[in-house]
Amino acid sequence: MVFQITASLLDACVLSMLSRGDTYGYEITQNLRESLQVSESTLYPVLRRLQSSDFLRTYDLPHQGRNRRYYAITESGKTQLGEFKEHWKTYRSRLDGFLGSEV
């Protein structure tokens, strides 16, 4: 991909994914990789940052004899996601003005 992914855009993508349901880190990485170039080493600091901002919470569930850490969006995270979406609409509209909406 030619364009750099900013931290806030990555935050928005993670929160958006978690708004559809709880999941664990590896699955988040795999789903993001369908559209973005992101590694697990990139993702886990994002998850920690979102957790420390109270935008997501974690819980553990047993899986094949070990605990798997799941991530869930909080109410604060849903509010933040709404703000990200509003900013994205404005950002995209402005870029479409330069690049054209047919892109």
Side-chain angles (χ1 to χ4, degrees):
M1 176 174 284
V2 176
F3 302 105
Q4 293 291 325
I5 304 302
T6 64
S8 57
L9 185 55
L10 194 52
D11 290 355
C13 291
V14 169
L15 290 174
S16 181
M17 185 179 305
L18 290 172
S19 73
R20 297 180 201 124
D22 301 357
T23 190
Y24 52 97
Y26 179 77
E27 186 172 63
I28 294 170
T29 303
Q30 295 308 305
N31 288 332
L32 285 175
R33 280 187 180 162
E34 293 174 12
S35 301
L36 308 172
Q37 292 178 350
V38 64
S39 67
E40 287 181 62
S41 62
T42 300
L43 177 67
Y44 285 101
V46 171
L47 293 170
R48 283 191 296 276
R49 181 176 62 248
L50 291 171
Q51 185 179 7
S52 69
S53 297
D54 195 37
F55 295 150
L56 59 82
R57 64 178 179 82
T58 62
Y59 60 92
D60 295 339
L61 290 177
H63 177 75
Q64 297 179 351
R66 297 176 39 193
N67 278 342
R68 179 180 278 174
R69 175 143 301 161
Y70 283 80
Y71 297 87
I73 192 168
T74 63
E75 287 302 316
S76 296
K78 290 176 186 177
T79 300
Q80 181 62 46
L81 177 58
E83 291 177 21
F84 279 141
K85 286 181 177 182
E86 287 303 314
H87 289 289
W88 176 253
K89 287 177 193 175
T90 302
Y91 182 72
R92 181 177 173 187
S93 175
R94 289 179 180 169
L95 287 180
D96 283 347
F98 290 110
L99 299 175
S101 60
E102 69 277 352
V103 173

